[in-house]
Amino acid sequence: GAYAQYAQDKVSAGNLKVQAELVGLQAEQKANQLREKLFGDISNSFAGYAARGIDIGSGTPITQAEMSLKEGGEDIQQIQKNAEIQANSLRKQADIIKSGSKANMWAGMASGVAKGALSLGMLYA
């Protein structure tokens, strides 16, 4: 029984580590989507300015683009930071499960050996 629980805990720990990797991949996907939206918005903004005859190489268009890029970069950093925190939490949970299950397995085996020795002693007593 102790080994079966150890094996089950090992699978659970592995699943948590896979979830941690998925969190990172999802964060990267969100960041890429945000970048695409950001660049699309800036491009559309420049097209609008150009259509109205405004020089897009200076002044308001550039200032707006710089602000958008700065805010977008901060959003991307926050997405990545949150994902890292969540992934680290999942990895730590996996490590706790794994180390606890090893201790429980050894304790269970030792208990089984002790019970066997006690039963053997009763046979010959």
Side-chain angles (χ1 to χ4, degrees), residues 14-62:
N15 287 340
L16 286 171
K17 289 193 178 202
V18 168
Q19 286 177 2
E21 294 303 315
L22 286 175
V23 165
L25 291 173
Q26 289 169 344
E28 192 58 38
Q29 185 179 26
K30 283 181 188 177
N32 287 337
Q33 290 170 343
L34 183 59
R35 281 185 198 97
E36 287 178 22
K37 182 184 179 322
L38 179 63
F39 292 138
D41 289 349
I42 291 171
S43 176
N44 289 338
S45 171
F46 280 177
Y49 283 123
R52 288 179 279 171
I54 298 172
D55 178 17
I56 60 170
S58 63
T60 302
I62 292 297

Side-chain angles (χ1 to χ4, degrees), residues 44-123:
N44 289 338
S45 171
F46 280 177
Y49 283 123
R52 288 179 279 171
I54 298 172
D55 178 17
I56 60 170
S58 63
T60 302
I62 292 297
T63 302
Q64 289 290 77
E66 288 171 347
M67 285 176 45
S68 294
L69 287 171
K70 181 179 182 261
E71 290 170 3
E74 290 169 355
D75 290 345
I76 289 169
Q77 286 177 344
Q78 190 62 49
I79 288 169
Q80 291 170 334
K81 189 184 300 183
N82 291 343
E84 186 177 334
I85 290 168
Q86 188 178 358
N88 285 337
S89 174
L90 290 167
R91 285 186 199 101
K92 284 181 183 179
Q93 288 177 34
D95 291 342
I96 289 168
I97 288 172
K98 205 170 174 183
S99 63
S101 68
K102 281 182 185 177
N104 288 339
M105 179 186 68
W106 289 113
M109 293 172 125
S111 175
V113 169
K115 287 178 184 175
L118 182 61
S119 295
L120 189 59
M122 294 177 123
L123 268 175

